[in-house]
Amino acid sequence: DGGITQSPKYLFRKEGQNVTLSCEQNLNHDAMYWYRQDPGQGLRLIYYSQIVNDFQKGDIAEGYSVSREKKESFPLTVTSAQKNPTAFYLCASSIGGRGGTEAFFGQGTRLTVV
Amino acid sequence: DAKTTQPPSMDCAEGRAANLPCNHSTISGNEYVYWYRQIHSQGPQYIIHGLKNNETNEMASLIITEDRKSSTLILPHATLRDTAVYYCIVRASGSARQLTFGSGTQLTVLP
């Protein structure tokens, strides 16, 4: 089935360690996105990528890094520089940056840093 | 992208229509109105979107006012499984950025 897959669903890390969250899509979408969600809050954009080998910072990119080496993959690394990394992370994809097209979301990764 | 305003919470009786309002008074001519919902601890789910005309699909109807400054999402027969946070978003055609989410409306469907 076509879709967008995030793994793992739950992730625990010690403070000071970098951690990479996986996001894979088989929808042949050009655009991919990473959001962060804190309890009781809406989604905030971390990074987005419109095409392979290109990505742009969103509203809260500090402490995060991404790569887009393949169309179907957009991994997010939470670095030790991120001061409050514990959150729910959501990946999304869409056909492109055009209006009138919907985005599809993965089921999220809940990261807990202890 | 234009900012949206939604009530923080609403209740609806099971089987009745749920009408969720959204104000987007600064919307531009090329901006679409999108609705998503998020059930607790899951990824947001696309519901519907529109530009000027009213839209209907198997999940819901979207009514956009003639001046496009507000819209209403209608769930015609709400069920308990429709309990979720509903987000109203506007997005420009050709925008390189993705959807900007606000706090949404927590809809609780009551038995």
PDB file of all heavy atoms in Angstrom, chain A residues 33 35 37 42 48 50 59 90 96-103 105-107 110, chain B residues 32 34 36 38 41-44 46 49 87 91 93-99 102:
ATOM      1  N   TYR A  33       8.297  16.987   4.575  1.00  0.00           N
ATOM      2  CA  TYR A  33       8.285  17.974   5.649  1.00  0.00           C
ATOM      3  C   TYR A  33       8.453  17.300   7.004  1.00  0.00           C
ATOM      4  O   TYR A  33       7.991  16.183   7.203  1.00  0.00           O
ATOM      5  CB  TYR A  33       6.958  18.736   5.648  1.00  0.00           C
ATOM      6  CG  TYR A  33       6.574  19.274   4.294  1.00  0.00           C
ATOM      7  CD1 TYR A  33       5.941  18.455   3.356  1.00  0.00           C
ATOM      8  CD2 TYR A  33       6.842  20.588   3.955  1.00  0.00           C
ATOM      9  CE1 TYR A  33       5.601  18.946   2.108  1.00  0.00           C
ATOM     10  CE2 TYR A  33       6.492  21.087   2.714  1.00  0.00           C
ATOM     11  CZ  TYR A  33       5.880  20.262   1.791  1.00  0.00           C
ATOM     12  OH  TYR A  33       5.545  20.759   0.550  1.00  0.00           O
ATOM     13  N   TYR A  35       7.635  18.145  11.119  1.00  0.00           N
ATOM     14  CA  TYR A  35       6.997  18.995  12.108  1.00  0.00           C
ATOM     15  C   TYR A  35       7.307  18.484  13.505  1.00  0.00           C
ATOM     16  O   TYR A  35       7.535  17.299  13.712  1.00  0.00           O
ATOM     17  CB  TYR A  35       5.476  18.980  11.954  1.00  0.00           C
ATOM     18  CG  TYR A  35       4.948  19.657  10.724  1.00  0.00           C
ATOM     19  CD1 TYR A  35       4.778  18.954   9.535  1.00  0.00           C
ATOM     20  CD2 TYR A  35       4.587  20.997  10.744  1.00  0.00           C
ATOM     21  CE1 TYR A  35       4.269  19.572   8.413  1.00  0.00           C
ATOM     22  CE2 TYR A  35       4.070  21.630   9.626  1.00  0.00           C
ATOM     23  CZ  TYR A  35       3.923  20.906   8.464  1.00  0.00           C
ATOM     24  OH  TYR A  35       3.420  21.520   7.355  1.00  0.00           O
ATOM     25  N   GLN A  37       5.529  18.601  17.451  1.00  0.00           N
ATOM     26  CA  GLN A  37       4.320  18.915  18.199  1.00  0.00           C
ATOM     27  C   GLN A  37       4.579  18.697  19.679  1.00  0.00           C
ATOM     28  O   GLN A  37       4.989  17.616  20.098  1.00  0.00           O
ATOM     29  CB  GLN A  37       3.141  18.069  17.732  1.00  0.00           C
ATOM     30  CG  GLN A  37       1.826  18.482  18.363  1.00  0.00           C
ATOM     31  CD  GLN A  37       0.644  17.751  17.785  1.00  0.00           C
ATOM     32  OE1 GLN A  37       0.739  16.573  17.434  1.00  0.00           O
ATOM     33  NE2 GLN A  37      -0.482  18.436  17.646  1.00  0.00           N
ATOM     34  N   GLY A  42      -0.221  23.071  18.469  1.00  0.00           N
ATOM     35  CA  GLY A  42      -0.292  22.710  17.063  1.00  0.00           C
ATOM     36  C   GLY A  42       1.068  22.262  16.555  1.00  0.00           C
ATOM     37  O   GLY A  42       2.032  22.132  17.317  1.00  0.00           O
ATOM     38  N   TYR A  48      11.780  21.528   5.507  1.00  0.00           N
ATOM     39  CA  TYR A  48      11.042  20.986   4.391  1.00  0.00           C
ATOM     40  C   TYR A  48      11.948  20.888   3.180  1.00  0.00           C
ATOM     41  O   TYR A  48      12.955  21.598   3.082  1.00  0.00           O
ATOM     42  CB  TYR A  48       9.788  21.812   4.077  1.00  0.00           C
ATOM     43  CG  TYR A  48      10.032  23.238   3.658  1.00  0.00           C
ATOM     44  CD1 TYR A  48       9.948  23.616   2.324  1.00  0.00           C
ATOM     45  CD2 TYR A  48      10.302  24.218   4.609  1.00  0.00           C
ATOM     46  CE1 TYR A  48      10.144  24.936   1.946  1.00  0.00           C
ATOM     47  CE2 TYR A  48      10.509  25.534   4.238  1.00  0.00           C
ATOM     48  CZ  TYR A  48      10.419  25.893   2.909  1.00  0.00           C
ATOM     49  OH  TYR A  48      10.622  27.195   2.538  1.00  0.00           O
ATOM     50  N   GLN A  50      11.651  20.435  -1.144  1.00  0.00           N
ATOM     51  CA  GLN A  50      10.797  20.415  -2.330  1.00  0.00           C
ATOM     52  C   GLN A  50      11.296  19.421  -3.373  1.00  0.00           C
ATOM     53  O   GLN A  50      10.513  18.914  -4.174  1.00  0.00           O
ATOM     54  CB  GLN A  50      10.717  21.810  -2.940  1.00  0.00           C
ATOM     55  CG  GLN A  50      10.084  22.850  -2.026  1.00  0.00           C
ATOM     56  CD  GLN A  50       8.633  22.533  -1.728  1.00  0.00           C
ATOM     57  OE1 GLN A  50       7.794  22.424  -2.603  1.00  0.00           O
ATOM     58  NE2 GLN A  50       8.315  22.365  -0.456  1.00  0.00           N
ATOM     59  N   ASP A  59      10.372  26.992  10.782  1.00  0.00           N
ATOM     60  CA  ASP A  59      10.298  27.986  11.850  1.00  0.00           C
ATOM     61  C   ASP A  59      11.181  27.660  13.060  1.00  0.00           C
ATOM     62  O   ASP A  59      11.547  28.551  13.816  1.00  0.00           O
ATOM     63  CB  ASP A  59       8.847  28.126  12.305  1.00  0.00           C
ATOM     64  CG  ASP A  59       7.940  28.575  11.182  1.00  0.00           C
ATOM     65  OD1 ASP A  59       8.352  29.460  10.422  1.00  0.00           O
ATOM     66  OD2 ASP A  59       6.830  28.015  11.054  1.00  0.00           O
ATOM     67  N   LEU A  90       6.448  14.615  13.516  1.00  0.00           N
ATOM     68  CA  LEU A  90       5.607  14.177  12.407  1.00  0.00           C
ATOM     69  C   LEU A  90       6.252  14.508  11.078  1.00  0.00           C
ATOM     70  O   LEU A  90       6.746  15.610  10.861  1.00  0.00           O
ATOM     71  CB  LEU A  90       4.241  14.845  12.485  1.00  0.00           C
ATOM     72  CG  LEU A  90       3.334  14.308  13.595  1.00  0.00           C
ATOM     73  CD1 LEU A  90       2.312  15.343  14.003  1.00  0.00           C
ATOM     74  CD2 LEU A  90       2.644  13.034  13.141  1.00  0.00           C
ATOM     75  N   GLY A  96       3.753  18.498  -4.321  1.00  0.00           N
ATOM     76  CA  GLY A  96       4.673  19.588  -4.553  1.00  0.00           C
ATOM     77  C   GLY A  96       4.280  20.775  -3.718  1.00  0.00           C
ATOM     78  O   GLY A  96       3.459  20.671  -2.809  1.00  0.00           O
ATOM     79  N   GLY A  97       4.816  21.922  -4.025  1.00  0.00           N
ATOM     80  CA  GLY A  97       4.541  23.109  -3.235  1.00  0.00           C
ATOM     81  C   GLY A  97       3.310  23.860  -3.707  1.00  0.00           C
ATOM     82  O   GLY A  97       3.025  24.939  -3.249  1.00  0.00           O
ATOM     83  N   ARG A  98       2.551  23.249  -4.602  1.00  0.00           N
ATOM     84  CA  ARG A  98       1.390  23.948  -5.146  1.00  0.00           C
ATOM     85  C   ARG A  98       0.215  23.901  -4.195  1.00  0.00           C
ATOM     86  O   ARG A  98       0.045  22.944  -3.446  1.00  0.00           O
ATOM     87  CB  ARG A  98       0.975  23.299  -6.464  1.00  0.00           C
ATOM     88  CG  ARG A  98       1.989  23.462  -7.571  1.00  0.00           C
ATOM     89  CD  ARG A  98       1.586  22.665  -8.804  1.00  0.00           C
ATOM     90  NE  ARG A  98       1.720  21.244  -8.595  1.00  0.00           N
ATOM     91  CZ  ARG A  98       0.708  20.396  -8.622  1.00  0.00           C
ATOM     92  NH1 ARG A  98      -0.513  20.842  -8.817  1.00  0.00           N
ATOM     93  NH2 ARG A  98       0.890  19.114  -8.444  1.00  0.00           N
ATOM     94  N   GLY A  99      -0.594  24.929  -4.240  1.00  0.00           N
ATOM     95  CA  GLY A  99      -1.830  24.883  -3.484  1.00  0.00           C
ATOM     96  C   GLY A  99      -2.780  23.913  -4.137  1.00  0.00           C
ATOM     97  O   GLY A  99      -2.618  23.540  -5.299  1.00  0.00           O
ATOM     98  N   GLY A 100      -3.788  23.501  -3.425  1.00  0.00           N
ATOM     99  CA  GLY A 100      -4.758  22.584  -4.014  1.00  0.00           C
ATOM    100  C   GLY A 100      -4.349  21.139  -3.936  1.00  0.00           C
ATOM    101  O   GLY A 100      -5.026  20.279  -4.485  1.00  0.00           O
ATOM    102  N   THR A 101      -3.229  20.845  -3.289  1.00  0.00           N
ATOM    103  CA  THR A 101      -2.822  19.458  -3.107  1.00  0.00           C
ATOM    104  C   THR A 101      -2.686  19.197  -1.617  1.00  0.00           C
ATOM    105  O   THR A 101      -2.175  20.034  -0.879  1.00  0.00           O
ATOM    106  CB  THR A 101      -1.480  19.165  -3.794  1.00  0.00           C
ATOM    107  OG1 THR A 101      -0.467  20.005  -3.246  1.00  0.00           O
ATOM    108  CG2 THR A 101      -1.579  19.398  -5.289  1.00  0.00           C
ATOM    109  N   GLU A 102      -3.139  18.021  -1.214  1.00  0.00           N
ATOM    110  CA  GLU A 102      -3.111  17.751   0.214  1.00  0.00           C
ATOM    111  C   GLU A 102      -1.811  17.097   0.618  1.00  0.00           C
ATOM    112  O   GLU A 102      -1.123  16.476  -0.181  1.00  0.00           O
ATOM    113  CB  GLU A 102      -4.289  16.863   0.622  1.00  0.00           C
ATOM    114  CG  GLU A 102      -4.255  15.478   0.009  1.00  0.00           C
ATOM    115  CD  GLU A 102      -5.063  15.407  -1.260  1.00  0.00           C
ATOM    116  OE1 GLU A 102      -5.131  16.419  -1.974  1.00  0.00           O
ATOM    117  OE2 GLU A 102      -5.616  14.327  -1.546  1.00  0.00           O
ATOM    118  N   ALA A 103      -1.478  17.212   1.902  1.00  0.00           N
ATOM    119  CA  ALA A 103      -0.314  16.556   2.464  1.00  0.00           C
ATOM    120  C   ALA A 103      -0.759  15.306   3.203  1.00  0.00           C
ATOM    121  O   ALA A 103      -1.852  15.246   3.763  1.00  0.00           O
ATOM    122  CB  ALA A 103       0.404  17.500   3.428  1.00  0.00           C
ATOM    123  N   PHE A 105       0.391  12.548   6.168  1.00  0.00           N
ATOM    124  CA  PHE A 105       1.245  12.491   7.343  1.00  0.00           C
ATOM    125  C   PHE A 105       1.529  11.050   7.745  1.00  0.00           C
ATOM    126  O   PHE A 105       0.690  10.166   7.553  1.00  0.00           O
ATOM    127  CB  PHE A 105       0.569  13.201   8.518  1.00  0.00           C
ATOM    128  CG  PHE A 105       0.645  14.688   8.452  1.00  0.00           C
ATOM    129  CD1 PHE A 105      -0.240  15.393   7.658  1.00  0.00           C
ATOM    130  CD2 PHE A 105       1.603  15.375   9.162  1.00  0.00           C
ATOM    131  CE1 PHE A 105      -0.177  16.772   7.580  1.00  0.00           C
ATOM    132  CE2 PHE A 105       1.683  16.754   9.099  1.00  0.00           C
ATOM    133  CZ  PHE A 105       0.786  17.455   8.307  1.00  0.00           C
ATOM    134  N   GLY A 106       2.707  10.862   8.329  1.00  0.00           N
ATOM    135  CA  GLY A 106       3.004   9.606   8.985  1.00  0.00           C
ATOM    136  C   GLY A 106       2.349   9.574  10.353  1.00  0.00           C
ATOM    137  O   GLY A 106       1.677  10.526  10.767  1.00  0.00           O
ATOM    138  N   GLN A 107       2.535   8.474  11.067  1.00  0.00           N
ATOM    139  CA  GLN A 107       1.907   8.307  12.371  1.00  0.00           C
ATOM    140  C   GLN A 107       2.745   8.858  13.512  1.00  0.00           C
ATOM    141  O   GLN A 107       2.344   8.791  14.664  1.00  0.00           O
ATOM    142  CB  GLN A 107       1.581   6.843  12.613  1.00  0.00           C
ATOM    143  CG  GLN A 107       0.423   6.354  11.742  1.00  0.00           C
ATOM    144  CD  GLN A 107      -0.821   7.212  11.927  1.00  0.00           C
ATOM    145  OE1 GLN A 107      -1.386   7.302  13.013  1.00  0.00           O
ATOM    146  NE2 GLN A 107      -1.238   7.902  10.848  1.00  0.00           N
ATOM    147  N   ARG A 110       7.440   9.443  18.773  1.00  0.00           N
ATOM    148  CA  ARG A 110       7.474  10.141  20.067  1.00  0.00           C
ATOM    149  C   ARG A 110       8.860   9.954  20.663  1.00  0.00           C
ATOM    150  O   ARG A 110       9.244   8.844  21.033  1.00  0.00           O
ATOM    151  CB  ARG A 110       6.407   9.602  20.996  1.00  0.00           C
ATOM    152  CG  ARG A 110       6.225  10.455  22.260  1.00  0.00           C
ATOM    153  CD  ARG A 110       4.954  10.097  22.998  1.00  0.00           C
ATOM    154  NE  ARG A 110       3.766  10.311  22.206  1.00  0.00           N
ATOM    155  CZ  ARG A 110       3.154  11.479  22.041  1.00  0.00           C
ATOM    156  NH1 ARG A 110       3.661  12.564  22.608  1.00  0.00           N
ATOM    157  NH2 ARG A 110       2.053  11.556  21.317  1.00  0.00           N
TER     158      ARG A 110
ATOM    159  N   TYR B  32      -5.856  28.539  -0.667  1.00  0.00           N
ATOM    160  CA  TYR B  32      -6.841  27.506  -0.458  1.00  0.00           C
ATOM    161  C   TYR B  32      -7.117  27.372   1.030  1.00  0.00           C
ATOM    162  O   TYR B  32      -6.252  27.614   1.871  1.00  0.00           O
ATOM    163  CB  TYR B  32      -6.317  26.168  -0.970  1.00  0.00           C
ATOM    164  CG  TYR B  32      -6.259  26.048  -2.476  1.00  0.00           C
ATOM    165  CD1 TYR B  32      -5.260  26.660  -3.208  1.00  0.00           C
ATOM    166  CD2 TYR B  32      -7.197  25.285  -3.161  1.00  0.00           C
ATOM    167  CE1 TYR B  32      -5.197  26.536  -4.585  1.00  0.00           C
ATOM    168  CE2 TYR B  32      -7.138  25.149  -4.539  1.00  0.00           C
ATOM    169  CZ  TYR B  32      -6.140  25.789  -5.240  1.00  0.00           C
ATOM    170  OH  TYR B  32      -6.090  25.664  -6.599  1.00  0.00           O
ATOM    171  N   TYR B  34      -7.819  24.572   3.822  1.00  0.00           N
ATOM    172  CA  TYR B  34      -7.685  23.145   4.100  1.00  0.00           C
ATOM    173  C   TYR B  34      -8.227  22.839   5.497  1.00  0.00           C
ATOM    174  O   TYR B  34      -8.131  23.656   6.406  1.00  0.00           O
ATOM    175  CB  TYR B  34      -6.208  22.728   4.119  1.00  0.00           C
ATOM    176  CG  TYR B  34      -5.528  22.653   2.783  1.00  0.00           C
ATOM    177  CD1 TYR B  34      -5.071  23.791   2.136  1.00  0.00           C
ATOM    178  CD2 TYR B  34      -5.314  21.417   2.180  1.00  0.00           C
ATOM    179  CE1 TYR B  34      -4.430  23.705   0.915  1.00  0.00           C
ATOM    180  CE2 TYR B  34      -4.665  21.320   0.963  1.00  0.00           C
ATOM    181  CZ  TYR B  34      -4.221  22.467   0.340  1.00  0.00           C
ATOM    182  OH  TYR B  34      -3.578  22.370  -0.864  1.00  0.00           O
ATOM    183  N   TYR B  36      -7.817  19.652   8.341  1.00  0.00           N
ATOM    184  CA  TYR B  36      -7.233  18.403   8.796  1.00  0.00           C
ATOM    185  C   TYR B  36      -7.787  18.104  10.182  1.00  0.00           C
ATOM    186  O   TYR B  36      -8.254  19.003  10.882  1.00  0.00           O
ATOM    187  CB  TYR B  36      -5.713  18.514   8.908  1.00  0.00           C
ATOM    188  CG  TYR B  36      -4.971  18.453   7.610  1.00  0.00           C
ATOM    189  CD1 TYR B  36      -4.939  19.548   6.761  1.00  0.00           C
ATOM    190  CD2 TYR B  36      -4.297  17.298   7.220  1.00  0.00           C
ATOM    191  CE1 TYR B  36      -4.262  19.495   5.556  1.00  0.00           C
ATOM    192  CE2 TYR B  36      -3.613  17.237   6.021  1.00  0.00           C
ATOM    193  CZ  TYR B  36      -3.607  18.342   5.191  1.00  0.00           C
ATOM    194  OH  TYR B  36      -2.936  18.287   3.997  1.00  0.00           O
ATOM    195  N   GLN B  38      -6.783  15.645  13.828  1.00  0.00           N
ATOM    196  CA  GLN B  38      -5.764  14.841  14.490  1.00  0.00           C
ATOM    197  C   GLN B  38      -6.389  14.165  15.700  1.00  0.00           C
ATOM    198  O   GLN B  38      -6.814  14.841  16.643  1.00  0.00           O
ATOM    199  CB  GLN B  38      -4.568  15.692  14.909  1.00  0.00           C
ATOM    200  CG  GLN B  38      -3.418  14.873  15.463  1.00  0.00           C
ATOM    201  CD  GLN B  38      -2.215  15.723  15.825  1.00  0.00           C
ATOM    202  OE1 GLN B  38      -2.335  16.917  16.094  1.00  0.00           O
ATOM    203  NE2 GLN B  38      -1.040  15.104  15.850  1.00  0.00           N
ATOM    204  N   SER B  41      -2.484  11.483  19.538  1.00  0.00           N
ATOM    205  CA  SER B  41      -1.242  10.725  19.351  1.00  0.00           C
ATOM    206  C   SER B  41      -1.125  10.077  17.974  1.00  0.00           C
ATOM    207  O   SER B  41      -0.382   9.120  17.812  1.00  0.00           O
ATOM    208  CB  SER B  41      -1.092   9.653  20.429  1.00  0.00           C
ATOM    209  OG  SER B  41      -0.943  10.249  21.692  1.00  0.00           O
ATOM    210  N   GLN B  42      -1.869  10.595  17.005  1.00  0.00           N
ATOM    211  CA  GLN B  42      -1.724  10.117  15.637  1.00  0.00           C
ATOM    212  C   GLN B  42      -1.322  11.271  14.726  1.00  0.00           C
ATOM    213  O   GLN B  42      -1.367  12.433  15.114  1.00  0.00           O
ATOM    214  CB  GLN B  42      -3.036   9.499  15.138  1.00  0.00           C
ATOM    215  CG  GLN B  42      -3.454   8.261  15.904  1.00  0.00           C
ATOM    216  CD  GLN B  42      -4.711   7.638  15.327  1.00  0.00           C
ATOM    217  OE1 GLN B  42      -5.046   7.856  14.165  1.00  0.00           O
ATOM    218  NE2 GLN B  42      -5.396   6.857  16.137  1.00  0.00           N
ATOM    219  N   GLY B  43      -0.934  10.948  13.503  1.00  0.00           N
ATOM    220  CA  GLY B  43      -0.643  11.981  12.532  1.00  0.00           C
ATOM    221  C   GLY B  43      -1.913  12.632  12.028  1.00  0.00           C
ATOM    222  O   GLY B  43      -2.971  11.997  11.991  1.00  0.00           O
ATOM    223  N   PRO B  44      -1.865  13.901  11.647  1.00  0.00           N
ATOM    224  CA  PRO B  44      -3.054  14.572  11.101  1.00  0.00           C
ATOM    225  C   PRO B  44      -3.569  13.864   9.851  1.00  0.00           C
ATOM    226  O   PRO B  44      -2.803  13.322   9.068  1.00  0.00           O
ATOM    227  CB  PRO B  44      -2.542  15.976  10.770  1.00  0.00           C
ATOM    228  CG  PRO B  44      -1.388  16.188  11.685  1.00  0.00           C
ATOM    229  CD  PRO B  44      -0.748  14.834  11.802  1.00  0.00           C
ATOM    230  N   TYR B  46      -5.948  14.367   6.447  1.00  0.00           N
ATOM    231  CA  TYR B  46      -6.575  15.311   5.537  1.00  0.00           C
ATOM    232  C   TYR B  46      -8.077  15.058   5.478  1.00  0.00           C
ATOM    233  O   TYR B  46      -8.527  13.898   5.415  1.00  0.00           O
ATOM    234  CB  TYR B  46      -5.962  15.166   4.148  1.00  0.00           C
ATOM    235  CG  TYR B  46      -6.741  15.826   3.037  1.00  0.00           C
ATOM    236  CD1 TYR B  46      -6.639  17.182   2.809  1.00  0.00           C
ATOM    237  CD2 TYR B  46      -7.590  15.073   2.231  1.00  0.00           C
ATOM    238  CE1 TYR B  46      -7.354  17.790   1.798  1.00  0.00           C
ATOM    239  CE2 TYR B  46      -8.310  15.672   1.220  1.00  0.00           C
ATOM    240  CZ  TYR B  46      -8.194  17.029   1.008  1.00  0.00           C
ATOM    241  OH  TYR B  46      -8.912  17.621  -0.002  1.00  0.00           O
ATOM    242  N   HIS B  49     -10.488  20.282   1.159  1.00  0.00           N
ATOM    243  CA  HIS B  49      -9.977  21.623   0.902  1.00  0.00           C
ATOM    244  C   HIS B  49     -10.802  22.278  -0.199  1.00  0.00           C
ATOM    245  O   HIS B  49     -11.513  21.587  -0.960  1.00  0.00           O
ATOM    246  CB  HIS B  49      -8.489  21.606   0.537  1.00  0.00           C
ATOM    247  CG  HIS B  49      -8.183  21.092  -0.837  1.00  0.00           C
ATOM    248  ND1 HIS B  49      -8.079  19.750  -1.117  1.00  0.00           N
ATOM    249  CD2 HIS B  49      -7.947  21.738  -2.002  1.00  0.00           C
ATOM    250  CE1 HIS B  49      -7.778  19.586  -2.391  1.00  0.00           C
ATOM    251  NE2 HIS B  49      -7.702  20.780  -2.954  1.00  0.00           N
ATOM    252  N   TYR B  87      -8.108  21.195  12.483  1.00  0.00           N
ATOM    253  CA  TYR B  87      -7.292  22.341  12.092  1.00  0.00           C
ATOM    254  C   TYR B  87      -7.797  22.922  10.775  1.00  0.00           C
ATOM    255  O   TYR B  87      -7.982  22.198   9.793  1.00  0.00           O
ATOM    256  CB  TYR B  87      -5.835  21.919  11.900  1.00  0.00           C
ATOM    257  CG  TYR B  87      -5.134  21.442  13.137  1.00  0.00           C
ATOM    258  CD1 TYR B  87      -4.970  20.084  13.393  1.00  0.00           C
ATOM    259  CD2 TYR B  87      -4.620  22.345  14.055  1.00  0.00           C
ATOM    260  CE1 TYR B  87      -4.301  19.645  14.522  1.00  0.00           C
ATOM    261  CE2 TYR B  87      -3.950  21.908  15.192  1.00  0.00           C
ATOM    262  CZ  TYR B  87      -3.798  20.551  15.418  1.00  0.00           C
ATOM    263  OH  TYR B  87      -3.141  20.120  16.542  1.00  0.00           O
ATOM    264  N   ARG B  91      -3.445  28.089   2.640  1.00  0.00           N
ATOM    265  CA  ARG B  91      -2.150  27.900   2.009  1.00  0.00           C
ATOM    266  C   ARG B  91      -2.204  28.472   0.604  1.00  0.00           C
ATOM    267  O   ARG B  91      -3.134  28.199  -0.143  1.00  0.00           O
ATOM    268  CB  ARG B  91      -1.796  26.428   1.956  1.00  0.00           C
ATOM    269  CG  ARG B  91      -0.462  26.138   1.295  1.00  0.00           C
ATOM    270  CD  ARG B  91      -0.293  24.671   1.070  1.00  0.00           C
ATOM    271  NE  ARG B  91       0.974  24.367   0.428  1.00  0.00           N
ATOM    272  CZ  ARG B  91       1.250  23.212  -0.153  1.00  0.00           C
ATOM    273  NH1 ARG B  91       0.354  22.241  -0.158  1.00  0.00           N
ATOM    274  NH2 ARG B  91       2.410  23.001  -0.718  1.00  0.00           N
ATOM    275  N   SER B  93      -1.378  29.017  -3.261  1.00  0.00           N
ATOM    276  CA  SER B  93      -1.004  28.251  -4.437  1.00  0.00           C
ATOM    277  C   SER B  93       0.418  28.617  -4.815  1.00  0.00           C
ATOM    278  O   SER B  93       0.782  29.788  -4.869  1.00  0.00           O
ATOM    279  CB  SER B  93      -1.956  28.569  -5.583  1.00  0.00           C
ATOM    280  OG  SER B  93      -1.563  27.922  -6.767  1.00  0.00           O
ATOM    281  N   GLY B  94       1.249  27.625  -5.050  1.00  0.00           N
ATOM    282  CA  GLY B  94       2.631  27.893  -5.405  1.00  0.00           C
ATOM    283  C   GLY B  94       3.521  28.147  -4.229  1.00  0.00           C
ATOM    284  O   GLY B  94       4.723  28.373  -4.375  1.00  0.00           O
ATOM    285  N   SER B  95       2.964  28.084  -3.018  1.00  0.00           N
ATOM    286  CA  SER B  95       3.787  28.310  -1.835  1.00  0.00           C
ATOM    287  C   SER B  95       4.789  27.183  -1.675  1.00  0.00           C
ATOM    288  O   SER B  95       4.448  26.015  -1.774  1.00  0.00           O
ATOM    289  CB  SER B  95       2.889  28.389  -0.596  1.00  0.00           C
ATOM    290  OG  SER B  95       3.675  28.402   0.579  1.00  0.00           O
ATOM    291  N   ALA B  96       6.012  27.563  -1.397  1.00  0.00           N
ATOM    292  CA  ALA B  96       7.049  26.557  -1.212  1.00  0.00           C
ATOM    293  C   ALA B  96       7.000  25.970   0.190  1.00  0.00           C
ATOM    294  O   ALA B  96       7.610  24.950   0.460  1.00  0.00           O
ATOM    295  CB  ALA B  96       8.417  27.166  -1.477  1.00  0.00           C
ATOM    296  N   ARG B  97       6.283  26.611   1.093  1.00  0.00           N
ATOM    297  CA  ARG B  97       6.225  26.115   2.448  1.00  0.00           C
ATOM    298  C   ARG B  97       4.989  25.264   2.641  1.00  0.00           C
ATOM    299  O   ARG B  97       4.028  25.369   1.917  1.00  0.00           O
ATOM    300  CB  ARG B  97       6.197  27.278   3.423  1.00  0.00           C
ATOM    301  CG  ARG B  97       7.471  28.091   3.448  1.00  0.00           C
ATOM    302  CD  ARG B  97       7.285  29.306   4.324  1.00  0.00           C
ATOM    303  NE  ARG B  97       6.950  28.931   5.697  1.00  0.00           N
ATOM    304  CZ  ARG B  97       7.855  28.815   6.657  1.00  0.00           C
ATOM    305  NH1 ARG B  97       9.124  29.006   6.396  1.00  0.00           N
ATOM    306  NH2 ARG B  97       7.487  28.490   7.891  1.00  0.00           N
ATOM    307  N   GLN B  98       5.053  24.441   3.659  1.00  0.00           N
ATOM    308  CA  GLN B  98       3.932  23.568   3.934  1.00  0.00           C
ATOM    309  C   GLN B  98       2.946  24.274   4.838  1.00  0.00           C
ATOM    310  O   GLN B  98       3.089  25.438   5.179  1.00  0.00           O
ATOM    311  CB  GLN B  98       4.452  22.252   4.545  1.00  0.00           C
ATOM    312  CG  GLN B  98       3.465  21.129   4.697  1.00  0.00           C
ATOM    313  CD  GLN B  98       2.511  20.941   3.551  1.00  0.00           C
ATOM    314  OE1 GLN B  98       1.634  21.773   3.302  1.00  0.00           O
ATOM    315  NE2 GLN B  98       2.630  19.817   2.856  1.00  0.00           N
ATOM    316  N   LEU B  99       1.904  23.563   5.173  1.00  0.00           N
ATOM    317  CA  LEU B  99       0.808  24.075   5.955  1.00  0.00           C
ATOM    318  C   LEU B  99       1.266  24.591   7.310  1.00  0.00           C
ATOM    319  O   LEU B  99       2.096  23.981   7.967  1.00  0.00           O
ATOM    320  CB  LEU B  99      -0.195  22.939   6.163  1.00  0.00           C
ATOM    321  CG  LEU B  99      -0.579  22.206   4.876  1.00  0.00           C
ATOM    322  CD1 LEU B  99      -1.137  20.849   5.195  1.00  0.00           C
ATOM    323  CD2 LEU B  99      -1.577  23.019   4.092  1.00  0.00           C
ATOM    324  N   GLY B 102      -2.339  26.059  13.421  1.00  0.00           N
ATOM    325  CA  GLY B 102      -2.594  26.755  14.668  1.00  0.00           C
ATOM    326  C   GLY B 102      -2.941  25.753  15.750  1.00  0.00           C
ATOM    327  O   GLY B 102      -2.511  24.598  15.692  1.00  0.00           O
TER     328      GLY B 102
END
